């Protein structure tokens, strides 16, 4: 109650939300839609435009006020609309929320580059590492746009469906420019959304990318019905591995125990709504990856990121048995059972 009062008084004239007139969302999938709606709910005269590819989905959003493909059954606020036309979507927008899956982000950004002014901040919610370049989104965005662009990385435990249901959620806005991080904090913060800030972009991004790989491992353990002990041991080991790699990359230790680290690891490794965990569960039950992917309409970023992690482990000379085993299972080099046997038979160690 007190929290909500604080917000009501903070959202007075002059705040970034008050000043914002139009926000464009790249990607009309589940998370782009949910975050767009979260912004639109806060300010009825804010224009939120989802840039989508599919004209049928576009029509549904505009006529039924519902994302019939990705968030069926949830009504969207009337100030959210969709278009397939990039120049029109972007024109006049003060912020761009980027919710296109990582592996499609480079091509997408190259396609809209000429319409996006270099001063418009990108608020990136995509979590993962690009196959091939191994880049994080903070590296991929300037590389794809071939220029500097202000960018903030918003991450943390936040299932799209629960954001859409306006249930309490906490995320972290990471930006080297602390002032811009605070602007994004003020944009998204509401009585149902807490937004912390940090300047540790690398830490937030690497935690967000690797927790998806760990969630696949957690799903495998669940799918094989190995029990609570095994699951807890696996997640604890995975947390250590993420910390070892994150430290090598220069991340702050506090980020690991924060929302984008432990918070999102807990959500995705234990939460029924996680797509990465559900890919793992199906692998653990013996399904083939090709069949799992063919039957899923939504992205599970951990599948692509797992292969990149193997390269990072090599590059930074850090042993990541759980995270790299996920890549081996996905590549069909190991069965899930062999991976568990392999991990259980590693040398007994001193805790690090
Ligand atoms: N769904 C969730 O609960 C959360 C998702 N995220 C992250 O947000 C990102 C997007 O995820 P979702 O919205 O869940 O995915 P989704 O699978 O629901 O939707 C992806 C959207 O991106 C579009 N897209 C794909 N390739 C494209 C391209 N080349 N050009 C333009 N659009 C393209 C699709 O048409 C679709 O609208 C991912 O990186 C995910 O890890 C982050 C937090 C929560
Ligand atoms: O990142 C997420 C929640 O914070 C969503 O996780 P999944 O992609 O596994 O559903």
């Amino acid at each position: 109650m007190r929290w909500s009062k604080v917000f009501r008084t903070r959202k007075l004239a002059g705040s970034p939300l008050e000043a914002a007139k139009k926000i464009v969302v790249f990607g009309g999938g589940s998370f782009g839609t949910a975050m767009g709606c979260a912004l639109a709910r806060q300010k009825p005269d804010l224009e939120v435009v989802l840039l989508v590819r599919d004209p049928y989905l576009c029509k549904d959003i505009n006529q039924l006020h519902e994302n019939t493909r990705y968030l069926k059954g949830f009504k969207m606020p009337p100030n959210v609309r969709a278009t397939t036309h990039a120049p029109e979507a972007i024109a006049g927008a003060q912020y761009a929320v980027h919710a296109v899956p990582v592996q499609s982000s480079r091509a997408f950004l190259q396609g809209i580059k000429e319409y996006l002014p270099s001063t418009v901040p990108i608020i990136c919610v995509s979590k993962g590492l690009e196959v091939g370049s191994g880049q994080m989104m903070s590296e991929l965005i300037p590389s794809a746009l071939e220029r500097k662009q202000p960018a903030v990385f918003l991450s943390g435990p936040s299932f799209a469906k629960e954001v859409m249901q306006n249930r309490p959620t906490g995320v972290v806005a990471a930006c080297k420019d602390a002032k811009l991080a605070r602007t994004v904090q003020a944009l998204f913060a509401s009585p149902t959304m807490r937004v912390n800030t940090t300047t540790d972009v690398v830490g937030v991004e690497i935690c967000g990318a690797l927790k998806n790989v760990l969630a696949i491992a957690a799903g495998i353990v669940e799918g094989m019905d190995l029990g609570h002990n095994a699951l807890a041991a696996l997640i604890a080991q995975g947390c250590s591995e993420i910390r070892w790699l994150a430290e090598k990359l220069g991340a702050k230790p506090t980020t690991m125990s924060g929302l984008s680290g432990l918070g999102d690891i807990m959500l995705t490794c234990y939460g029924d709504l996680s797509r990465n965990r559900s890919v793992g569960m199906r692998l653990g039950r013996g399904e083939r990856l090709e069949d799992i992917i063919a039957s899923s309409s939504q992205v599970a970023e951990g599948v692509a990121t797992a292969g990149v992690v193997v390269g990072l482990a090599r590059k930074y000379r850090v042993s990541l048995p759980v995270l790299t085993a996920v890549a081996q299972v996905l590549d069909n080099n190991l069965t899930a059972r062999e991976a568990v046997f392999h991990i259980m038979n590693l040398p007994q160690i001193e805790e690090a």
Side-chain angles (χ1 to χ4, degrees):
M1 185 62 194
R2 239 187 103 211
W3 172 245
S4 99
K5 268 188 189 155
V6 169
F7 269 96
R8 275 202 294 275
T9 50
R10 267 181 19 137
K11 290 269 153 77
L12 289 177
S15 75
L17 187 65
E18 198 58 40
K21 300 273 176 284
K22 178 180 175 184
I23 293 181
V24 59
V25 180
F26 299 151
S30 42
F31 204 50
T33 302
M35 293 305 266
C37 291
L39 286 168
R41 274 196 301 258
Q42 293 207 66
K43 189 180 168 194
D45 62 346
L46 177 71
E47 185 186 2
V48 176
V49 184
L50 308 186
L51 176 57
V52 302
R53 289 184 300 178
D54 178 355
Y56 295 104
L57 178 61
C58 185
K59 201 168 146 209
D60 277 0
I61 292 173
N62 291 336
Q63 291 184 353
L64 307 174
H65 300 287
E66 187 179 324
N67 187 326
T68 45
R69 179 164 319 150
Y70 293 102
L71 281 168
K72 204 165 169 48
F74 292 95
K75 274 280 166 263
M76 298 167 69
N79 50 329
V80 181
R81 65 178 176 89
T83 177
T84 56
H85 191 234
E88 189 254 314
I90 296 167
Q94 286 109 328
Y95 300 92
V97 176
H98 181 93
V100 172
V102 172
Q103 308 312 323
S104 305
S105 285
R106 183 176 295 276
F108 172 84
L109 289 167
Q110 284 166 346
I112 56 103
K113 168 178 150 181
E114 61 180 299
Y115 314 116
L116 183 70
S118 62
T119 50
V120 172
I122 293 182
I123 302 163
C124 176
V125 297
S126 304
K127 298 172 184 169
L129 304 172
E130 189 187 37
V131 174
S133 71
Q135 288 179 335
M136 298 183 204
M137 287 300 294
S138 52
E139 301 163 309
L140 187 156
I141 291 171
S143 158
L145 294 174
E146 297 178 294
R147 64 176 186 235
K148 279 191 179 164
Q149 184 90 22
V152 179
F153 302 86
L154 200 60
S155 192
S158 48
F159 283 138
K161 205 166 164 188
E162 295 191 2
V163 171
M164 199 65 185
Q165 290 166 328
N166 213 6
R167 294 171 112 173
T169 298
V171 289
V172 55
C175 184
K176 294 234 170 71
D177 173 356
K179 189 163 168 248
L180 185 55
R182 284 196 298 274
T183 299
V184 170
Q185 176 184 51
L187 266 184
F188 280 92
S190 77
T192 53
M193 191 171 290
R194 278 190 63 85
V195 186
N196 294 346
T197 61
T198 178
T199 53
D200 185 13
V201 173
V202 167
V204 164
E205 277 225 85
I206 200 72
C207 285
L210 297 193
K211 67 86 194 171
N212 284 333
V213 181
L214 183 54
I216 295 177
I220 290 175
V221 166
E222 285 257 13
M224 292 174 73
D225 200 17
L226 296 180
H228 298 299
N229 294 351
L231 185 58
L234 174 102
I235 295 171
Q237 168 68 20
C239 286
S240 299
E241 294 182 18
I242 293 175
R243 173 167 50 86
W244 297 334
L245 186 59
E247 277 171 4
K248 295 259 180 189
L249 291 166
K252 288 185 190 161
T254 43
T255 304
M256 181 64 214
S257 56
L259 288 164
S260 65
L262 262 186
D264 217 356
I265 290 169
M266 284 196 278
L267 182 84
T268 7
C269 289
Y270 286 107
D272 287 339
L273 293 174
S274 166
R275 286 104 26 118
N276 288 289
R277 177 175 174 271
S278 98
V279 166
M281 282 183 73
R282 292 175 66 178
L283 284 169
R285 288 184 193 133
E287 281 189 62
R288 282 161 14 110
L289 181 64
E290 297 73 22
D291 298 333
I292 299 171
I293 289 176
S295 64
S296 331
S297 57
Q298 295 196 12
V299 67
E301 294 274 21
V303 173
T305 295
V308 183
V309 173
V310 175
L312 284 178
R314 237 181 258 130
K315 181 172 171 187
Y316 291 96
R317 293 168 186 273
V318 47
S319 164
L320 309 174
V322 164
L323 299 178
T324 51
V326 172
Q328 294 207 286
V329 172
L330 293 169
D331 287 346
N332 258 328
N333 293 334
L334 275 185
T335 64
R337 203 158 291 282
E338 284 165 347
V340 172
F341 184 79
H342 167 72
I343 289 166
M344 287 306 289
N345 282 286
L346 287 169
Q348 308 290 327
I349 51 160
E350 188 182 349
E351 189 144 275

Short mmCIF file of all heavy atoms in Angstrom, two decimals, residues 27-32 53 70 99-102 104 108 125-127 158-160 212 275 297-299 301, ligand 1:
data_model
loop_
_atom_site.label_atom_id
_atom_site.label_comp_id
_atom_site.label_asym_id
_atom_site.label_seq_id
_atom_site.Cartn_x
_atom_site.Cartn_y
_atom_site.Cartn_z
N GLY A 27 8.99 -6.70 -31.98
CA GLY A 27 8.66 -8.10 -31.68
C GLY A 27 7.35 -8.19 -30.93
O GLY A 27 7.25 -7.71 -29.79
N GLY A 28 6.36 -8.75 -31.57
CA GLY A 28 5.05 -8.90 -30.92
C GLY A 28 4.84 -10.30 -30.38
O GLY A 28 3.75 -10.86 -30.48
N GLY A 29 5.90 -10.88 -29.81
CA GLY A 29 5.77 -12.18 -29.15
C GLY A 29 5.22 -12.00 -27.75
O GLY A 29 4.66 -10.95 -27.42
N SER A 30 5.41 -13.02 -26.90
CA SER A 30 4.78 -12.93 -25.59
C SER A 30 5.39 -11.83 -24.72
O SER A 30 4.66 -11.08 -24.07
CB SER A 30 4.80 -14.27 -24.88
OG SER A 30 6.03 -14.89 -25.06
N PHE A 31 6.73 -11.69 -24.73
CA PHE A 31 7.29 -10.73 -23.79
C PHE A 31 7.18 -9.29 -24.29
O PHE A 31 6.94 -8.37 -23.51
CB PHE A 31 8.74 -11.08 -23.43
CG PHE A 31 9.15 -10.52 -22.10
CD1 PHE A 31 8.36 -10.71 -20.98
CD2 PHE A 31 10.31 -9.78 -21.96
CE1 PHE A 31 8.71 -10.19 -19.74
CE2 PHE A 31 10.68 -9.26 -20.73
CZ PHE A 31 9.89 -9.46 -19.62
N GLY A 32 7.36 -9.09 -25.59
CA GLY A 32 7.19 -7.75 -26.14
C GLY A 32 5.78 -7.25 -25.85
O GLY A 32 5.57 -6.10 -25.43
N ARG A 53 5.52 -9.01 -37.60
CA ARG A 53 5.76 -9.44 -38.98
C ARG A 53 4.49 -9.95 -39.64
O ARG A 53 4.28 -9.79 -40.82
CB ARG A 53 6.79 -10.58 -39.00
CG ARG A 53 8.18 -10.14 -38.67
CD ARG A 53 9.14 -11.30 -38.81
NE ARG A 53 8.81 -12.41 -37.91
CZ ARG A 53 9.46 -13.55 -37.86
NH1 ARG A 53 10.48 -13.76 -38.67
NH2 ARG A 53 9.12 -14.50 -37.01
N TYR A 70 0.30 -15.37 -29.17
CA TYR A 70 1.27 -15.55 -28.09
C TYR A 70 0.68 -15.38 -26.69
O TYR A 70 1.23 -15.89 -25.72
CB TYR A 70 2.45 -14.58 -28.26
CG TYR A 70 3.27 -14.89 -29.48
CD1 TYR A 70 3.15 -14.16 -30.65
CD2 TYR A 70 4.19 -15.95 -29.47
CE1 TYR A 70 3.91 -14.44 -31.77
CE2 TYR A 70 4.96 -16.25 -30.58
CZ TYR A 70 4.81 -15.50 -31.73
OH TYR A 70 5.57 -15.79 -32.84
N ALA A 99 12.35 -6.85 -28.23
CA ALA A 99 11.94 -8.18 -27.74
C ALA A 99 11.95 -9.19 -28.87
O ALA A 99 11.10 -10.08 -28.94
CB ALA A 99 10.56 -8.10 -27.08
N VAL A 100 12.93 -9.05 -29.77
CA VAL A 100 13.09 -10.02 -30.86
C VAL A 100 14.10 -11.06 -30.36
O VAL A 100 15.09 -10.70 -29.71
CB VAL A 100 13.63 -9.30 -32.13
CG1 VAL A 100 14.00 -10.30 -33.22
CG2 VAL A 100 12.60 -8.29 -32.63
N PRO A 101 13.87 -12.36 -30.61
CA PRO A 101 14.82 -13.37 -30.14
C PRO A 101 16.25 -13.05 -30.61
O PRO A 101 16.46 -12.49 -31.69
CB PRO A 101 14.31 -14.66 -30.79
CG PRO A 101 12.84 -14.43 -30.98
CD PRO A 101 12.71 -12.97 -31.29
N VAL A 102 17.22 -13.41 -29.78
CA VAL A 102 18.61 -13.02 -30.01
C VAL A 102 19.10 -13.44 -31.41
O VAL A 102 19.72 -12.65 -32.13
CB VAL A 102 19.53 -13.62 -28.91
CG1 VAL A 102 21.00 -13.41 -29.23
CG2 VAL A 102 19.18 -12.98 -27.57
N SER A 104 17.65 -13.74 -34.14
CA SER A 104 17.07 -12.97 -35.24
C SER A 104 17.36 -11.48 -35.11
O SER A 104 16.96 -10.69 -35.97
CB SER A 104 15.54 -13.15 -35.26
OG SER A 104 15.20 -14.50 -35.31
N PHE A 108 17.18 -8.31 -37.90
CA PHE A 108 16.08 -7.38 -37.63
C PHE A 108 16.61 -5.95 -37.51
O PHE A 108 16.09 -5.02 -38.14
CB PHE A 108 15.34 -7.79 -36.34
CG PHE A 108 14.33 -6.77 -35.92
CD1 PHE A 108 13.06 -6.77 -36.47
CD2 PHE A 108 14.67 -5.75 -35.04
CE1 PHE A 108 12.14 -5.78 -36.14
CE2 PHE A 108 13.77 -4.77 -34.69
CZ PHE A 108 12.50 -4.79 -35.25
N VAL A 125 15.12 -6.52 -23.89
CA VAL A 125 14.66 -7.54 -22.93
C VAL A 125 15.04 -8.94 -23.39
O VAL A 125 14.71 -9.93 -22.73
CB VAL A 125 13.12 -7.43 -22.70
CG1 VAL A 125 12.76 -6.10 -22.09
CG2 VAL A 125 12.34 -7.67 -23.99
N SER A 126 15.71 -9.05 -24.54
CA SER A 126 16.09 -10.37 -25.06
C SER A 126 17.28 -10.91 -24.27
O SER A 126 18.18 -10.16 -23.92
CB SER A 126 16.46 -10.26 -26.54
OG SER A 126 15.38 -9.68 -27.24
N LYS A 127 17.26 -12.22 -24.03
CA LYS A 127 18.29 -12.83 -23.18
C LYS A 127 18.96 -13.97 -23.93
O LYS A 127 18.32 -14.98 -24.23
CB LYS A 127 17.66 -13.43 -21.92
CG LYS A 127 16.95 -12.44 -21.02
CD LYS A 127 16.20 -13.18 -19.90
CE LYS A 127 15.41 -12.23 -19.04
NZ LYS A 127 14.50 -12.94 -18.13
N SER A 158 10.71 -12.76 -14.77
CA SER A 158 9.53 -12.04 -15.29
C SER A 158 8.85 -12.84 -16.40
O SER A 158 9.06 -12.56 -17.59
CB SER A 158 9.97 -10.68 -15.83
OG SER A 158 11.11 -10.81 -16.66
N PHE A 159 8.06 -13.83 -16.04
CA PHE A 159 7.31 -14.56 -17.06
C PHE A 159 6.29 -13.62 -17.70
O PHE A 159 5.55 -12.91 -17.00
CB PHE A 159 6.55 -15.75 -16.45
CG PHE A 159 7.42 -16.94 -16.14
CD1 PHE A 159 7.25 -17.64 -14.95
CD2 PHE A 159 8.38 -17.39 -17.05
CE1 PHE A 159 8.03 -18.75 -14.67
CE2 PHE A 159 9.16 -18.51 -16.77
CZ PHE A 159 8.99 -19.18 -15.58
N ALA A 160 6.23 -13.65 -19.04
CA ALA A 160 5.34 -12.75 -19.77
C ALA A 160 3.90 -12.84 -19.27
O ALA A 160 3.23 -11.82 -19.08
CB ALA A 160 5.40 -13.11 -21.26
N ASN A 212 19.12 -19.58 -18.88
CA ASN A 212 18.28 -20.35 -19.82
C ASN A 212 18.88 -21.73 -20.08
O ASN A 212 18.17 -22.72 -20.22
CB ASN A 212 18.14 -19.60 -21.15
CG ASN A 212 17.17 -18.43 -21.05
OD1 ASN A 212 16.26 -18.45 -20.23
ND2 ASN A 212 17.36 -17.42 -21.88
N ARG A 275 9.85 -21.92 -20.87
CA ARG A 275 9.97 -22.70 -22.10
C ARG A 275 11.27 -23.48 -22.11
O ARG A 275 11.34 -24.60 -22.59
CB ARG A 275 9.91 -21.78 -23.33
CG ARG A 275 8.54 -21.24 -23.66
CD ARG A 275 8.29 -19.81 -23.31
NE ARG A 275 9.40 -18.90 -23.23
CZ ARG A 275 9.53 -17.84 -24.01
NH1 ARG A 275 8.67 -17.59 -24.95
NH2 ARG A 275 10.52 -17.00 -23.83
N SER A 297 5.90 -23.16 -30.51
CA SER A 297 5.70 -21.93 -31.29
C SER A 297 6.52 -20.78 -30.71
O SER A 297 6.56 -19.69 -31.26
CB SER A 297 4.23 -21.56 -31.30
OG SER A 297 3.80 -21.42 -29.97
N GLN A 298 7.16 -21.00 -29.57
CA GLN A 298 7.89 -19.90 -28.93
C GLN A 298 9.37 -20.25 -28.76
O GLN A 298 9.75 -21.41 -28.75
CB GLN A 298 7.27 -19.62 -27.56
CG GLN A 298 5.86 -19.10 -27.69
CD GLN A 298 5.38 -18.46 -26.41
OE1 GLN A 298 6.14 -18.20 -25.50
NE2 GLN A 298 4.09 -18.20 -26.35
N VAL A 299 10.14 -19.18 -28.60
CA VAL A 299 11.59 -19.36 -28.56
C VAL A 299 12.06 -19.86 -27.17
O VAL A 299 11.55 -19.43 -26.15
CB VAL A 299 12.29 -18.01 -28.91
CG1 VAL A 299 12.07 -16.95 -27.85
CG2 VAL A 299 13.78 -18.20 -29.14
N GLU A 301 15.57 -19.67 -25.73
CA GLU A 301 16.88 -19.12 -26.09
C GLU A 301 18.05 -19.99 -25.66
O GLU A 301 19.12 -19.97 -26.27
CB GLU A 301 17.06 -17.71 -25.47
CG GLU A 301 16.11 -16.65 -25.99
CD GLU A 301 16.65 -15.96 -27.26
OE1 GLU A 301 17.50 -16.55 -27.94
OE2 GLU A 301 16.19 -14.84 -27.55
N1 LIG B 1 8.40 -14.85 -22.59
C1 LIG B 1 8.96 -14.49 -21.44
O1 LIG B 1 8.43 -14.78 -20.37
C2 LIG B 1 10.25 -13.73 -21.45
C3 LIG B 1 11.03 -13.62 -22.58
N2 LIG B 1 12.21 -12.91 -22.52
C4 LIG B 1 13.07 -12.81 -23.68
O2 LIG B 1 12.43 -11.99 -24.65
C5 LIG B 1 12.84 -12.37 -25.96
C6 LIG B 1 11.60 -12.58 -26.82
O3 LIG B 1 10.91 -13.65 -26.21
P1 LIG B 1 9.36 -13.91 -26.39
O4 LIG B 1 8.60 -12.67 -26.64
O5 LIG B 1 8.96 -14.73 -25.25
O6 LIG B 1 9.40 -14.81 -27.70
P2 LIG B 1 8.20 -15.36 -28.56
O7 LIG B 1 8.66 -16.64 -29.13
O8 LIG B 1 6.95 -15.33 -27.77
O9 LIG B 1 8.06 -14.27 -29.72
C7 LIG B 1 9.13 -13.86 -30.51
C8 LIG B 1 8.68 -12.72 -31.39
O10 LIG B 1 9.78 -12.29 -32.18
C9 LIG B 1 9.37 -12.25 -33.53
N3 LIG B 1 10.49 -12.49 -34.42
C10 LIG B 1 11.23 -13.60 -34.53
N4 LIG B 1 12.16 -13.44 -35.48
C11 LIG B 1 11.98 -12.19 -35.98
C12 LIG B 1 12.61 -11.43 -36.98
N5 LIG B 1 13.61 -11.92 -37.71
N6 LIG B 1 12.15 -10.19 -37.24
C13 LIG B 1 11.13 -9.69 -36.54
N7 LIG B 1 10.51 -10.35 -35.57
C14 LIG B 1 10.92 -11.58 -35.30
C15 LIG B 1 8.32 -13.33 -33.65
O11 LIG B 1 7.50 -13.12 -34.78
C16 LIG B 1 7.57 -13.12 -32.36
O12 LIG B 1 6.67 -12.07 -32.46
C17 LIG B 1 13.69 -13.63 -25.79
O13 LIG B 1 15.04 -13.31 -25.85
C18 LIG B 1 13.32 -14.12 -24.40
O14 LIG B 1 14.38 -14.83 -23.78
C19 LIG B 1 12.62 -12.28 -21.39
C20 LIG B 1 11.86 -12.36 -20.25
C21 LIG B 1 10.64 -13.11 -20.18
#
